[in-house]
Amino acid sequence: MAILLKTCLLLLMHTLAVAFALFYLWLLQQHYVAMQQAEAVDIQSGSAFLLLPLLLPLLHLMSIAARRYTNKAAAVKARKMQSWVFIALTLGLPLSGFFANQYLLWQLKQHGYQQCPIEHYGSRAKFTTYSKDIGLCPAA
């Protein structure tokens, strides 16, 4: 019974990690769609942290692979590689989200959008309106 509960919780956590990352990618895609269709676009930035939960399933898969080694030297090498991959992912996932947001902002400027002066802050994100016409910016 305990193994079944552990497996279900692990599966739930992995599913949520992938769902968070997919939600982040969906947000980026929605921003690009809005940029192609609207004169004013609301951009949510500061949500690159949604990529960090991907560490859990990736490290879990690596630990499963490392257990397959019967040679002690190969197992030590796999653990060392796992620690380097953890460091790389911990730095790389948020950085990739940051660069994706910066690329989106660069695309907005290339399409003629200007940042409106008012920004709104949510609990974990910043919402900024970009408009092709400053007159379409929301009032304070």
Side-chain angles (χ1 to χ4, degrees):
M1 183 66 175
I3 292 180
L4 179 64
L5 180 62
K6 178 182 166 184
T7 304
C8 288
L9 286 175
L10 196 59
L11 184 63
L12 175 68
M13 289 180 5
H14 289 341
T15 303
L16 286 174
V18 171
F20 287 151
L22 289 175
F23 178 68
Y24 175 74
L25 295 175
W26 177 80
L27 278 175
L28 282 177
Q29 188 263 344
Q30 292 300 308
H31 294 324
Y32 281 107
V33 168
M35 185 173 45
Q36 301 299 324
Q37 298 173 351
E39 292 293 317
V41 178
D42 288 324
I43 299 296
Q44 177 181 348
S45 61
S47 54
F49 69 90
L50 290 171
L51 294 174
L52 271 178
L54 279 179
L55 283 170
L56 177 68
L58 294 173
L59 289 176
H60 185 239
L61 289 173
M62 288 183 66
S63 69
I64 290 172
R67 279 188 256 153
R68 304 272 186 232
Y69 293 113
T70 55
N71 184 357
K72 182 159 177 80
V76 168
K77 187 176 181 178
R79 278 194 299 271
K80 195 177 284 188
M81 185 182 77
Q82 187 176 3
S83 63
W84 282 109
V85 168
F86 174 76
I87 292 169
L89 287 175
T90 302
L91 297 173
L93 288 172
L95 277 175
S96 66
F98 172 77
F99 287 126
N101 283 337
Q102 292 303 311
Y103 183 71
L104 174 68
L105 296 177
W106 180 78
Q107 285 286 321
L108 283 167
K109 289 186 188 340
Q110 293 298 317
H111 282 88
Y113 286 90
Q114 301 169 4
Q115 182 177 348
C116 293
I118 297 175
E119 297 175 337
H120 301 283
Y121 292 92
S123 59
R124 291 182 180 88
K126 179 175 79 169
F127 299 91
T128 308
T129 303
Y130 287 83
S131 176
K132 287 186 177 182
D133 180 17
I134 295 296
L136 296 175
C137 288

